[in-house]
Amino acid sequence: MSDRTPLVAANWKMHKTNAEAAAFLDEFLPGAGGRPDVEVVICPAFTALRTVAERTAGTPVRIGAQNMHHAAAGAFTGEVSASMLEELGVEAVVLGHSERRQLFGETDAGLQRKVPAALQAGLLPILCVGETEEEREAGETERKLRQQVQVDLAEVPEDHLAGIVVAYEPIWAIGTGNTATPAQAQDAIAFVRALLGDRSREAAAEIRVLYGGSMNPGNAEELLAQPDIDGGLVGGASLDPGDFAGIVAAAPR
């Protein structure tokens, strides 16, 4: 078993008002401290960050944002900076989620600036990478992952690489119920780790690589048992406190 601490992150996307977030935490938190060997991160919408931060204060649960701008400040309407997130108690940030890439024009060039900016601010970047169904069918999975990993992390110094998390999320599996098989997920994540090893073998051994794509309580145990899968970035199943607790409980001991 790896010495890497499993990380299970909830990506609530554009769900949950402040009241709904509070209700979730009232149900989830009493059992969340049962696995001190698993790092739990909850990433609500921006409007619920303060509520979640206040509700989780004094617990092992960490707070993440779903995006951030690379600049410290400026004329960027609708964006938020790392310092604004930190002020609310945010400790992590999801970057490059496939929905941000596909629906909102997020690019590898932009992520090349965001990842080091998050690191410099003391946030834990959770960088998302993954291929479309068409790319997988065309045998382009490795090419796509190589491009994303190499470009997105190009400006991260070798001695800071271990401070990131990578989430492999096959786009064809996100929100579709079509989960990658444990073997498919392991193969892709092992390839991502090998790409990281081209930069630094030491960092590659430390970096946590998560699986994201229709993970649920029914398939989490088998996915998380794979040697290179260090946790999950969970979407739909993270909206239910019981389901999310079940995924956390499925992490290897």
Side-chain angles (χ1 to χ4, degrees):
M1 183 187 296
S2 165
D3 291 333
R4 298 182 294 270
T5 300
L7 188 157
V8 180
N11 177 17
W12 286 354
K13 306 186 181 183
M14 198 175 73
H15 294 284
K16 295 196 185 298
T17 63
N18 279 280
E20 290 166 342
F24 175 99
L25 293 169
D26 287 346
E27 184 173 344
F28 175 75
L29 286 176
R35 290 296 306 270
D37 56 335
V38 179
E39 186 175 342
V40 176
V41 179
I42 294 181
C43 305
F46 288 129
T47 54
L49 282 171
R50 185 179 294 279
T51 293
V52 174
E54 291 174 349
R55 259 323 204 274
T56 56
T59 77
V61 175
R62 302 176 70 183
I63 311 306
Q66 297 177 20
N67 189 27
M68 58 163 263
H69 197 277
H70 69 270
F76 304 109
T77 300
E79 293 288 338
V80 298
S81 69
S83 62
M84 294 172 181
L85 297 176
E86 288 181 295
E87 186 179 44
L88 296 175
V90 172
E91 299 178 81
V93 59
V94 176
L95 297 174
H97 190 279
S98 62
E99 290 158 3
R100 297 297 313 170
R101 294 176 186 262
Q102 290 190 300
L103 302 178
F104 301 102
E106 188 93 60
T107 65
D108 290 318
L111 291 163
Q112 190 178 95
R113 295 183 289 182
K114 287 187 178 186
V115 177
L119 281 170
Q120 187 173 8
L123 296 174
L124 175 69
I126 302 175
L127 173 67
C128 300
V129 298
E131 81 284 4
T132 64
E133 183 175 14
E134 292 77 12
E135 287 165 337
R136 173 165 281 271
E137 290 178 350
E140 293 287 301
T141 296
E142 291 190 355
R143 180 200 62 77
K144 182 62 171 289
L145 293 175
R146 181 180 293 107
Q147 171 190 319
Q148 292 176 323
V149 170
Q150 290 181 346
V151 177
D152 297 357
L153 300 179
E155 297 302 319
V156 176
E158 186 175 305
D159 58 351
H160 286 74
L161 276 174
I164 68 167
V165 170
V166 177
Y168 166 66
E169 42 163 36
I171 296 171
W172 46 271
I174 297 171
T176 64
N178 298 320
T179 314
T181 67
Q184 287 174 321
Q186 165 60 26
D187 286 349
I189 287 175
F191 181 71
V192 168
R193 198 176 301 283
L195 291 171
L196 296 166
D198 291 340
R199 293 278 308 277
S200 167
R201 288 189 178 183
E202 294 78 10
E206 295 181 43
I207 290 173
R208 289 172 293 180
V209 187
L210 315 181
Y211 171 76
S214 296
M215 182 180 281
N216 59 60
N219 60 32
E221 184 173 1
E222 192 173 7
L223 285 164
L224 296 175
Q226 302 304 309
D228 283 294
I229 299 180
D230 302 315
L233 178 60
V234 187
S238 75
L239 298 176
D240 180 276
D243 285 349
F244 188 55
I247 294 171
V248 175
R253 295 180 184 272

